[in-house]
Every structure is written in structure tokens, then in C-alpha cells.
Amino acid sequence: MKSNFLTPTKNIFISHFKSNWKIILPFIFGIFLVSFLAILIPFSWSEFKYIGTVEAHWVLDTGRGPDARVFGLGPIIAVFVFGSFGTLIFSIFSLLLTGFVITSELKKNKMSIWMATPSTRNQIIMSKLLFVIAIITVAFLVVFIPTIIFSSVARDANLYLDKVILQGIFFYLMNVLVAIAFFFLAVIFSNQERLSTSLSWAIIGYIAITEILMFFHKTFDFQQLNFVEFIALQSLMPKFLAFGSAYGKEEVPVPGIPNLKASYGVYTPANKILLIASPIIQGGLTTAGIVGISSVFNRKDIKA
């Protein structure tokens, strides 16, 4: 009897981990370490902890004291942890995992061995895809959990903690979509390894280039680069942690630090249209990718 469409083959899943854990675990640890330090260092240096940007000044007996601007965790999370930099790191990891379960197995003729087992083609290819997504999920969680812990103790957690969580969720969905895209390319061009790898690296390069262009547009106000935001893949992720350079007029005392008052950076809410469109687009592309992978693999002539 044939198994259900998404029924994983346990032996394949375990086999991939046993064969590649020496590379997978250090990579996951590296992702954790980089993201952890990216948050810990500025968090530990600042004498007051914020997610948003803050402009503060000391209140002295003689009047207003010196100013101090705090960058906040939000911009760091939005760019390095749950932003384009993080997407590039996870994309490279996804490409590496896809190479383990597709390209490498075709080279070593292991795919034909799996095809000779009682497992259906859907079981074989879906268990491989599930393996990639499961490892991506673990890597995401080792970044997500510490980020939420640090953010939860920030002084403005009541304002922005939910935004950090939402940014993380959409970041995860984007990286699952990228992983499925790489997997699809590896399956459809299974007999043309260089082509599938080149196309995957082209996607990574495209993300990097568009991010650099958007940086120049925002930092130096290059109006000629307005169009980039509309064609960048990472624009599918709503921006929940966007703060402007201006600050609110209201000054509030900083709890626990006498004689210090702060004004919050002006927060820019996420685009409401994108909030609705992004899950629909990503969900549709993800579903199409999974169906396409199954359809192509079922018709594929696996060469020994």
C-alpha cells in the first residue's frame, strides 16, 4: 500500500543526519554564536536596554546634561539577525543541505539505492525535503529563542516584543521558501549539477546585490534606486522593526537610572498591504514548490 503524500521515510531522515552531522552541527553553532554576539555585545555595552532607537540626556542641577543616542536592538535584529544578512547565511546553509540530500547522493549513486527500497518516490523526495526544512527550523530556533529572551527584558519590550516575534516568523517563512526553491532547482536539474548550483548562487547574489542597493538608497537618499525595493526578494518580508531618524517630543524617565530622560525614535509600522499579501504570496510559492518537486521527481529518470 502506498503511503500518504507527505509521509516521511524514517530511515532516509536518520541516514542524512548520521552522514552529515559533523558539518551540520558546527554550522548551526556558528549561526547561533554570530547572532548571539550581535545582540549580546550592544546589549551589554548599553547602560539601558531598548529595542527601539532612543535619544536620552542627563538631567543635571544646572539644567540639561549631555545627550546619548542608543541604537537599540531593533535595527540590529531587523538587519543582521532576522534581516537580509541572516537570510544570506541561511540561504548558504540551505544550499549546503540540498547538496547533501540531492547532488551528493546522485554522485554516489545512493539515490538509486533508495529507489530500490519499498518506499514510494514521494516518500523518498518528501523525506529529503522534510530533512532540509527540519534542520533549517532547528537553526532558526537557536537564533529565535535567545533573541526573544534578550528582547523580553528590554525596557520597551511592552511596545516592541510582539514586533520582534513577528519579524522572526516572517524571516523563517522566507528562508523555508528559499530552501524549497534551491531544492526544486536541484531536482529539476538533477543531471546538470553546475546549472542548478549556479542558479542557486545567482539567487543568493541577487539578494546580496539588492540589499546593498537598498542600503545606498536609504543611507544616501539615492532616488534613482527607488525601484529596487519593489524587485528585491527580501521585500516579501514586512518590516516590523523600522525606526526613523527623528525622535518624539515626549521625554520619559528611564526606570532604574536616576536623572536620565529619554525620547523614543519614531516607529514606522509595517505596510498593511504587505502584511496580507506576503503570507499569501509566500504560501502560494511554497505550495507550488512542494507540488512541483513531487511532480518532477516522480517523472525523473534517475541515472545510476
Coordinates of all heavy atoms in Angstrom, one line a residue, residues 110-194:
K110 N 23.6 6.9 -4.4 CA 22.7 6.5 -3.3 C 21.3 6.7 -3.6 O 20.4 6.0 -3.0 CB 23.1 7.3 -2.1 CG 24.4 6.9 -1.4 CD 24.6 7.7 -0.1 CE 25.9 7.2 0.6 NZ 26.1 8.0 1.9
M111 N 21.0 7.6 -4.5 CA 19.6 7.8 -4.9 C 19.0 6.6 -5.5 O 17.8 6.2 -5.2 CB 19.5 9.0 -5.8 CG 18.0 9.5 -6.1 SD 17.3 10.3 -4.7 CE 18.1 11.9 -4.8
S112 N 19.7 5.9 -6.3 CA 19.2 4.7 -6.9 C 19.0 3.6 -5.9 O 18.1 2.7 -6.0 CB 20.2 4.2 -8.0 OG 20.4 5.1 -9.0
I113 N 19.8 3.6 -4.9 CA 19.7 2.6 -3.8 C 18.3 2.8 -3.1 O 17.6 1.9 -2.8 CB 20.8 2.7 -2.8 CG1 22.1 2.3 -3.5 CG2 20.6 1.8 -1.6 CD1 23.4 2.5 -2.7
W114 N 18.1 4.1 -2.8 CA 16.8 4.4 -2.1 C 15.6 4.1 -3.0 O 14.6 3.6 -2.5 CB 16.7 5.9 -1.8 CG 17.6 6.4 -0.7 CD1 18.6 7.3 -0.8 CD2 17.6 5.9 0.7 NE1 19.3 7.4 0.4 CE2 18.7 6.6 1.3 CE3 16.9 5.0 1.4 CZ2 18.9 6.4 2.7 CZ3 17.2 4.8 2.7 CH2 18.2 5.5 3.4
M115 N 15.8 4.2 -4.3 CA 14.7 3.9 -5.3 C 14.4 2.4 -5.3 O 13.3 2.0 -5.7 CB 15.1 4.4 -6.7 CG 15.3 5.9 -6.8 SD 13.8 6.9 -6.8 CE 13.2 6.5 -8.4
A116 N 15.4 1.6 -4.9 CA 15.2 0.2 -4.9 C 14.5 -0.3 -3.7 O 14.1 -1.5 -3.6 CB 16.6 -0.5 -5.1
T117 N 14.3 0.6 -2.7 CA 13.6 0.2 -1.5 C 12.0 0.2 -1.7 O 11.6 0.8 -2.7 CB 13.9 1.1 -0.3 OG1 13.4 2.4 -0.6 CG2 15.4 1.2 -0.1
P118 N 11.3 -0.3 -0.8 CA 9.8 -0.3 -0.9 C 9.2 1.1 -0.8 O 8.0 1.3 -1.1 CB 9.3 -1.2 0.3 CG 10.5 -2.0 0.7 CD 11.7 -1.2 0.4
S119 N 10.0 2.1 -0.4 CA 9.5 3.5 -0.3 C 9.0 4.0 -1.7 O 9.7 3.7 -2.7 CB 10.6 4.4 0.3 OG 11.0 3.9 1.5
T120 N 7.9 4.8 -1.7 CA 7.5 5.4 -2.9 C 8.4 6.6 -3.2 O 9.1 7.1 -2.4 CB 6.0 5.9 -2.7 OG1 6.0 6.9 -1.8 CG2 5.1 4.8 -2.3
R121 N 8.3 7.1 -4.4 CA 9.1 8.2 -4.8 C 8.7 9.4 -4.0 O 9.6 10.2 -3.6 CB 8.9 8.5 -6.3 CG 9.7 7.6 -7.2 CD 9.8 8.1 -8.6 NE 10.7 7.4 -9.4 CZ 11.5 7.9 -10.4 NH1 11.4 9.2 -10.6 NH2 12.3 7.1 -11.0
N122 N 7.4 9.6 -3.7 CA 7.0 10.7 -2.9 C 7.6 10.6 -1.5 O 8.0 11.6 -0.9 CB 5.5 10.7 -2.7 CG 4.8 11.6 -3.8 OD1 5.5 12.4 -4.5 ND2 3.6 11.4 -4.0
Q123 N 7.6 9.4 -0.9 CA 8.3 9.3 0.4 C 9.7 9.7 0.4 O 10.2 10.3 1.3 CB 8.1 7.8 0.9 CG 6.8 7.4 1.4 CD 6.8 6.0 1.9 OE1 7.2 5.1 1.2 NE2 6.4 5.8 3.2
I124 N 10.4 9.2 -0.7 CA 11.8 9.5 -0.8 C 12.1 11.0 -0.9 O 12.9 11.5 -0.1 CB 12.4 8.8 -2.0 CG1 12.4 7.3 -1.8 CG2 13.9 9.2 -2.2 CD1 12.7 6.4 -3.0
I125 N 11.5 11.7 -1.8 CA 11.8 13.1 -2.0 C 11.2 14.0 -0.9 O 11.9 14.9 -0.5 CB 11.3 13.5 -3.4 CG1 12.0 14.8 -3.9 CG2 9.8 13.7 -3.4 CD1 13.5 14.6 -4.0
M126 N 10.1 13.6 -0.4 CA 9.5 14.4 0.6 C 10.2 14.3 2.0 O 10.3 15.2 2.8 CB 8.0 14.1 0.8 CG 7.1 14.6 -0.3 SD 7.2 16.4 -0.4 CE 7.6 16.6 -2.1
S127 N 10.8 13.1 2.2 CA 11.6 12.9 3.5 C 12.9 13.7 3.4 O 13.3 14.3 4.4 CB 11.9 11.4 3.7 OG 12.6 10.9 2.7
K128 N 13.4 13.8 2.2 CA 14.6 14.6 1.9 C 14.3 16.1 2.1 O 15.1 16.8 2.8 CB 15.2 14.4 0.5 CG 15.8 13.0 0.4 CD 16.3 12.8 -1.1 CE 17.0 11.4 -1.2 NZ 18.3 11.4 -0.5
L129 N 13.2 16.5 1.6 CA 12.8 17.9 1.8 C 12.5 18.2 3.2 O 12.9 19.3 3.8 CB 11.6 18.2 0.9 CG 11.0 19.7 1.0 CD1 12.1 20.7 0.6 CD2 9.8 19.8 0.1
L130 N 11.8 17.3 3.9 CA 11.5 17.5 5.3 C 12.8 17.6 6.1 O 12.8 18.3 7.1 CB 10.6 16.3 5.8 CG 10.2 16.3 7.3 CD1 9.4 17.6 7.6 CD2 9.5 15.1 7.7
F131 N 13.8 16.8 5.8 CA 15.1 16.8 6.5 C 15.7 18.3 6.4 O 16.1 18.8 7.4 CB 16.0 15.8 5.9 CG 17.4 15.9 6.4 CD1 17.7 15.4 7.7 CD2 18.4 16.5 5.7 CE1 19.0 15.5 8.2 CE2 19.7 16.6 6.2 CZ 20.0 16.1 7.4
V132 N 15.7 18.8 5.2 CA 16.2 20.2 5.0 C 15.4 21.2 5.8 O 16.0 22.0 6.5 CB 16.2 20.5 3.5 CG1 16.6 22.0 3.3 CG2 17.1 19.7 2.7
I133 N 14.1 21.1 5.7 CA 13.3 22.1 6.5 C 13.5 21.9 8.0 O 13.5 22.9 8.7 CB 11.8 22.0 6.1 CG1 11.6 22.4 4.6 CG2 10.9 22.8 6.9 CD1 10.2 22.2 4.0
A134 N 13.6 20.7 8.4 CA 13.7 20.4 9.9 C 15.0 21.0 10.4 O 15.1 21.6 11.5 CB 13.7 18.9 10.1
I135 N 16.1 20.8 9.6 CA 17.4 21.4 10.0 C 17.4 22.9 10.0 O 17.9 23.6 10.9 CB 18.6 20.9 9.1 CG1 18.7 19.4 9.3 CG2 19.9 21.5 9.5 CD1 19.0 18.8 10.6
I136 N 16.7 23.5 9.0 CA 16.6 25.0 8.9 C 15.8 25.4 10.1 O 16.1 26.5 10.7 CB 15.8 25.4 7.6 CG1 16.8 25.1 6.4 CG2 15.4 26.8 7.7 CD1 18.0 26.0 6.4
T137 N 14.7 24.7 10.5 CA 13.9 25.0 11.7 C 14.7 25.0 13.0 O 14.6 26.0 13.8 CB 12.7 24.1 11.8 OG1 11.9 24.1 10.6 CG2 11.8 24.5 13.0
V138 N 15.6 24.0 13.2 CA 16.4 24.0 14.3 C 17.4 25.1 14.4 O 17.5 25.8 15.4 CB 17.2 22.6 14.4 CG1 18.2 22.6 15.5 CG2 16.2 21.4 14.6
A139 N 18.0 25.4 13.2 CA 18.9 26.6 13.2 C 18.2 27.9 13.5 O 18.7 28.8 14.2 CB 19.5 26.6 11.8
F140 N 17.0 28.0 13.0 CA 16.2 29.2 13.3 C 15.9 29.3 14.8 O 16.0 30.4 15.4 CB 14.9 29.2 12.5 CG 13.9 30.2 12.9 CD1 14.1 31.6 12.7 CD2 12.7 29.8 13.6 CE1 13.1 32.5 13.1 CE2 11.8 30.7 14.1 CZ 12.0 32.1 13.8
L141 N 15.5 28.2 15.4 CA 15.1 28.2 16.8 C 16.3 28.6 17.7 O 16.1 29.3 18.7 CB 14.5 26.9 17.2 CG 13.1 26.6 16.7 CD1 12.7 25.2 17.1 CD2 12.1 27.6 17.1
V142 N 17.5 28.2 17.4 CA 18.6 28.5 18.2 C 19.0 30.0 18.1 O 19.7 30.5 18.9 CB 19.9 27.6 17.9 CG1 19.6 26.2 18.1 CG2 20.4 27.9 16.5
V143 N 18.5 30.6 17.1 CA 18.6 32.1 16.9 C 17.4 32.8 17.5 O 17.5 33.8 18.3 CB 18.8 32.5 15.5 CG1 18.8 34.0 15.3 CG2 20.1 31.9 14.9
F144 N 16.2 32.3 17.3 CA 15.0 32.9 17.7 C 14.8 33.0 19.2 O 14.5 34.0 19.7 CB 13.8 32.2 17.0 CG 12.5 32.7 17.3 CD1 12.1 33.9 16.7 CD2 11.6 32.1 18.1 CE1 10.8 34.5 16.9 CE2 10.3 32.6 18.4 CZ 9.9 33.8 17.8
I145 N 15.1 31.9 19.9 CA 14.9 31.8 21.3 C 15.7 32.8 22.1 O 15.2 33.6 22.9 CB 15.0 30.4 21.8 CG1 13.9 29.5 21.3 CG2 15.0 30.4 23.4 CD1 14.1 28.0 21.6
P146 N 17.1 32.9 21.9 CA 17.9 33.9 22.6 C 17.4 35.3 22.2 O 17.5 36.2 23.1 CB 19.3 33.6 22.1 CG 19.3 32.2 21.6 CD 17.9 32.0 21.1
T147 N 17.1 35.6 21.0 CA 16.6 36.9 20.6 C 15.4 37.3 21.3 O 15.3 38.5 21.8 CB 16.3 36.9 19.1 OG1 17.5 36.5 18.3 CG2 15.9 38.3 18.6
I148 N 14.4 36.4 21.5 CA 13.2 36.7 22.3 C 13.5 36.9 23.7 O 13.0 37.8 24.4 CB 12.2 35.6 22.1 CG1 11.8 35.5 20.6 CG2 11.0 35.8 23.0 CD1 11.2 36.7 20.0
I149 N 14.5 36.1 24.3 CA 14.8 36.3 25.7 C 15.4 37.7 25.9 O 15.1 38.4 26.9 CB 15.8 35.2 26.1 CG1 15.1 33.8 26.1 CG2 16.4 35.5 27.5 CD1 16.0 32.6 26.4
F150 N 16.4 38.1 25.1 CA 17.0 39.4 25.2 C 16.0 40.5 25.1 O 16.0 41.5 25.8 CB 18.1 39.6 24.2 CG 19.5 39.0 24.7 CD1 20.0 37.9 24.0 CD2 20.2 39.6 25.7 CE1 21.2 37.3 24.4 CE2 21.4 39.0 26.1 CZ 21.9 37.9 25.4
S151 N 15.2 40.4 24.1 CA 14.2 41.4 23.8 C 13.1 41.5 24.9 O 12.6 42.6 25.1 CB 13.5 41.1 22.4 OG 14.4 41.1 21.4
S152 N 12.8 40.4 25.5 CA 11.8 40.4 26.6 C 12.2 41.2 27.8 O 11.3 41.6 28.6 CB 11.4 39.0 27.0 OG 12.5 38.3 27.6
V153 N 13.5 41.4 28.0 CA 14.0 42.2 29.2 C 14.3 43.6 28.8 O 14.8 44.4 29.7 CB 15.2 41.5 29.9 CG1 14.8 40.1 30.4 CG2 16.4 41.4 28.9
A154 N 14.1 44.0 27.6 CA 14.3 45.4 27.2 C 13.3 46.3 27.8 O 12.2 45.9 28.2 CB 14.2 45.5 25.7
R155 N 13.7 47.5 28.1 CA 12.8 48.5 28.8 C 11.5 48.8 28.0 O 10.5 49.2 28.5 CB 13.6 49.7 29.1 CG 14.7 49.5 30.0 CD 15.3 50.8 30.5 NE 16.5 50.5 31.4 CZ 16.4 50.2 32.7 NH1 15.3 50.2 33.2 NH2 17.5 50.0 33.4
D156 N 11.6 48.7 26.6 CA 10.4 48.9 25.8 C 9.8 47.7 25.2 O 9.2 47.7 24.2 CB 10.8 49.9 24.7 CG 12.0 49.5 23.9 OD1 12.6 48.5 24.2 OD2 12.3 50.1 22.9
A157 N 10.0 46.5 25.9 CA 9.5 45.2 25.5 C 8.0 45.3 25.3 O 7.4 44.6 24.4 CB 9.9 44.1 26.4
N158 N 7.3 46.0 26.2 CA 5.9 46.1 26.1 C 5.4 46.8 24.8 O 4.3 46.5 24.3 CB 5.3 46.9 27.3 CG 5.8 48.4 27.3 OD1 7.0 48.6 27.1 ND2 5.0 49.3 27.5
L159 N 6.3 47.5 24.1 CA 6.0 48.2 22.9 C 6.3 47.4 21.7 O 5.6 47.4 20.7 CB 6.7 49.6 22.8 CG 6.3 50.6 23.8 CD1 7.2 51.8 23.7 CD2 4.8 51.0 23.7
Y160 N 7.5 46.7 21.7 CA 8.0 46.1 20.5 C 8.3 44.6 20.6 O 8.8 44.0 19.5 CB 9.3 46.8 20.2 CG 9.2 48.3 20.0 CD1 9.9 49.2 20.8 CD2 8.3 48.8 19.1 CE1 9.7 50.6 20.6 CE2 8.1 50.2 18.9 CZ 8.8 51.1 19.7 OH 8.7 52.4 19.5
L161 N 8.1 43.9 21.7 CA 8.4 42.5 21.7 C 7.6 41.7 20.7 O 8.1 40.8 20.0 CB 8.2 41.9 23.1 CG 8.4 40.4 23.3 CD1 9.9 40.1 23.0 CD2 8.1 40.0 24.7
D162 N 6.3 42.0 20.5 CA 5.5 41.3 19.6 C 6.0 41.6 18.1 O 5.9 40.7 17.3 CB 4.0 41.8 19.7 CG 3.8 43.3 19.5 OD1 4.8 44.0 19.8 OD2 2.8 43.7 19.1
K163 N 6.6 42.8 17.9 CA 7.2 43.1 16.6 C 8.4 42.2 16.3 O 8.6 41.8 15.2 CB 7.5 44.5 16.5 CG 6.5 45.5 17.0 CD 5.2 45.4 16.1 CE 4.3 46.6 16.4 NZ 3.8 46.7 17.8
V164 N 9.2 42.0 17.3 CA 10.4 41.1 17.2 C 9.9 39.7 16.8 O 10.5 39.0 16.0 CB 11.2 41.1 18.5 CG1 12.3 40.1 18.4 CG2 11.8 42.5 18.8
I165 N 8.9 39.2 17.5 CA 8.4 37.8 17.2 C 7.8 37.7 15.8 O 8.2 36.8 15.1 CB 7.2 37.5 18.2 CG1 7.8 37.4 19.7 CG2 6.6 36.2 17.9 CD1 6.8 37.2 20.7
L166 N 7.1 38.7 15.4 CA 6.5 38.7 14.0 C 7.7 38.8 13.0 O 7.6 38.1 11.9 CB 5.6 39.9 13.8 CG 4.2 39.8 14.5 CD1 3.5 41.1 14.4 CD2 3.4 38.6 13.9
Q167 N 8.7 39.6 13.2 CA 9.8 39.7 12.3 C 10.5 38.3 12.2 O 10.9 37.9 11.1 CB 10.8 40.7 12.8 CG 11.9 41.1 11.8 CD 11.3 41.9 10.6 OE1 10.8 43.0 10.8 NE2 11.3 41.4 9.4
G168 N 10.6 37.6 13.3 CA 11.3 36.3 13.3 C 10.4 35.3 12.5 O 11.0 34.5 11.8
I169 N 9.1 35.3 12.7 CA 8.2 34.4 12.0 C 8.3 34.6 10.5 O 8.4 33.6 9.7 CB 6.8 34.5 12.5 CG1 6.7 34.0 13.9 CG2 5.8 33.8 11.6 CD1 5.3 34.3 14.6
F170 N 8.2 35.8 10.0 CA 8.3 36.1 8.6 C 9.7 35.8 8.0 O 9.8 35.4 6.9 CB 7.9 37.5 8.3 CG 6.4 37.7 8.2 CD1 5.7 38.0 9.3 CD2 5.8 37.6 6.9 CE1 4.3 38.2 9.2 CE2 4.4 37.8 6.8 CZ 3.7 38.1 8.0
F171 N 10.7 36.0 8.8 CA 12.1 35.6 8.4 C 12.2 34.1 8.2 O 12.8 33.6 7.2 CB 13.1 36.0 9.5 CG 14.5 35.5 9.4 CD1 15.3 36.1 8.5 CD2 14.9 34.5 10.1 CE1 16.6 35.7 8.3 CE2 16.2 34.0 10.0 CZ 17.1 34.6 9.1
Y172 N 11.6 33.3 9.1 CA 11.6 31.9 9.0 C 10.9 31.4 7.7 O 11.4 30.6 7.0 CB 10.9 31.2 10.2 CG 10.7 29.8 10.1 CD1 11.8 28.9 10.2 CD2 9.4 29.3 9.9 CE1 11.5 27.5 10.0 CE2 9.2 27.9 9.8 CZ 10.2 27.0 9.8 OH 10.0 25.7 9.7
L173 N 9.7 32.0 7.5 CA 8.9 31.6 6.3 C 9.7 31.9 5.0 O 9.6 31.2 4.0 CB 7.6 32.4 6.3 CG 6.6 32.0 7.4 CD1 5.4 32.9 7.4 CD2 6.2 30.5 7.3
M174 N 10.4 33.1 5.0 CA 11.2 33.4 3.8 C 12.3 32.4 3.6 O 12.5 32.0 2.4 CB 11.8 34.8 4.0 CG 12.9 35.2 3.0 SD 12.3 35.2 1.3 CE 11.4 36.8 1.3
N175 N 12.9 32.0 4.6 CA 14.0 31.0 4.5 C 13.6 29.6 4.1 O 14.3 28.9 3.4 CB 14.9 31.0 5.7 CG 15.8 32.2 5.9 OD1 16.8 32.3 5.2 ND2 15.4 33.1 6.7
V176 N 12.4 29.3 4.5 CA 11.8 28.0 4.1 C 11.5 28.1 2.6 O 11.8 27.1 1.8 CB 10.5 27.7 4.9 CG1 9.7 26.5 4.2 CG2 10.8 27.3 6.3
L177 N 11.0 29.2 2.1 CA 10.7 29.4 0.7 C 12.0 29.3 -0.1 O 12.0 28.7 -1.2 CB 10.0 30.7 0.5 CG 9.8 31.1 -1.0 CD1 8.9 30.1 -1.6 CD2 9.1 32.5 -1.0
V178 N 13.1 29.9 0.4 CA 14.4 29.9 -0.4 C 14.9 28.5 -0.4 O 15.4 28.0 -1.4 CB 15.4 30.8 0.3 CG1 16.8 30.6 -0.3 CG2 14.9 32.3 0.2
A179 N 14.8 27.7 0.7 CA 15.2 26.4 0.8 C 14.5 25.5 -0.2 O 15.1 24.7 -0.9 CB 15.1 25.8 2.2
I180 N 13.2 25.7 -0.3 CA 12.4 24.9 -1.3 C 12.7 25.3 -2.7 O 12.8 24.4 -3.6 CB 10.9 25.2 -1.0 CG1 10.4 24.5 0.3 CG2 10.0 24.7 -2.2 CD1 9.0 24.8 0.7
A181 N 13.1 26.6 -3.0 CA 13.5 27.0 -4.3 C 14.8 26.3 -4.7 O 14.9 25.8 -5.8 CB 13.7 28.5 -4.4
F182 N 15.8 26.2 -3.8 CA 17.0 25.5 -4.1 C 16.8 24.0 -4.3 O 17.4 23.4 -5.2 CB 18.0 25.7 -2.9 CG 18.5 27.1 -2.8 CD1 19.2 27.5 -1.6 CD2 18.4 28.1 -3.8 CE1 19.6 28.8 -1.5 CE2 18.8 29.4 -3.7 CZ 19.5 29.7 -2.5
F183 N 15.9 23.5 -3.5 CA 15.6 22.0 -3.6 C 15.0 21.8 -5.0 O 15.3 20.8 -5.6 CB 14.7 21.6 -2.5 CG 14.7 20.2 -2.2 CD1 15.5 19.7 -1.2 CD2 13.8 19.3 -2.9 CE1 15.5 18.3 -0.9 CE2 13.8 18.0 -2.6 CZ 14.6 17.5 -1.6
F184 N 14.0 22.6 -5.4 CA 13.4 22.5 -6.7 C 14.4 22.5 -7.8 O 14.3 21.7 -8.7 CB 12.3 23.6 -6.8 CG 11.6 23.5 -8.2 CD1 10.6 22.6 -8.4 CD2 11.9 24.4 -9.2 CE1 9.9 22.5 -9.6 CE2 11.3 24.4 -10.4 CZ 10.3 23.4 -10.6
L185 N 15.3 23.5 -7.8 CA 16.3 23.6 -8.8 C 17.2 22.3 -8.8 O 17.6 21.8 -9.9 CB 17.2 24.8 -8.6 CG 16.5 26.2 -8.8 CD1 17.4 27.3 -8.3 CD2 16.1 26.3 -10.3
A186 N 17.5 21.8 -7.7 CA 18.4 20.6 -7.6 C 17.7 19.4 -8.2 O 18.3 18.5 -8.8 CB 18.8 20.3 -6.2
V187 N 16.4 19.3 -8.0 CA 15.6 18.2 -8.5 C 15.4 18.3 -10.0 O 15.6 17.4 -10.8 CB 14.2 18.1 -7.8 CG1 13.3 17.0 -8.5 CG2 14.4 17.7 -6.4
I188 N 15.0 19.5 -10.5 CA 14.7 19.6 -11.9 C 15.9 19.6 -12.8 O 15.9 19.1 -13.9 CB 13.9 21.0 -12.1 CG1 13.2 20.9 -13.5 CG2 14.8 22.2 -12.0 CD1 12.2 22.1 -13.7
F189 N 17.1 20.0 -12.2 CA 18.3 19.9 -12.9 C 19.3 18.9 -12.3 O 20.5 19.1 -12.1 CB 19.0 21.3 -13.0 CG 18.2 22.4 -13.7 CD1 17.8 23.5 -13.0 CD2 18.0 22.2 -15.0 CE1 17.0 24.4 -13.6 CE2 17.2 23.2 -15.7 CZ 16.7 24.3 -15.0
S190 N 18.7 17.8 -11.9 CA 19.5 16.8 -11.2 C 20.6 16.2 -12.0 O 21.6 15.7 -11.5 CB 18.6 15.6 -10.7 OG 17.9 15.0 -11.8
N191 N 20.5 16.2 -13.3 CA 21.6 15.7 -14.2 C 22.5 16.9 -14.7 O 23.4 16.6 -15.5 CB 20.9 15.0 -15.4 CG 20.1 13.8 -15.0 OD1 20.5 13.1 -14.1 ND2 19.0 13.6 -15.7
Q192 N 22.2 18.1 -14.2 CA 23.1 19.2 -14.5 C 23.5 20.0 -13.3 O 22.9 21.0 -13.0 CB 22.3 20.1 -15.5 CG 22.0 19.5 -16.8 CD 21.0 20.3 -17.7 OE1 19.8 20.4 -17.4 NE2 21.6 21.0 -18.6
E193 N 24.3 19.4 -12.5 CA 24.7 19.9 -11.2 C 25.2 21.3 -11.2 O 24.8 22.2 -10.4 CB 25.8 19.0 -10.6 CG 26.3 19.5 -9.2 CD 27.6 18.9 -8.8 OE1 28.0 17.9 -9.4 OE2 28.2 19.4 -7.9
R194 N 26.1 21.7 -12.2 CA 26.6 23.0 -12.3 C 25.5 24.0 -12.5 O 25.6 25.1 -12.0 CB 27.7 23.1 -13.4 CG 29.0 22.3 -13.1 CD 30.0 22.6 -14.1 NE 31.3 21.9 -13.8 CZ 32.3 22.0 -14.6 NH1 32.3 22.7 -15.7 NH2 33.5 21.4 -14.2

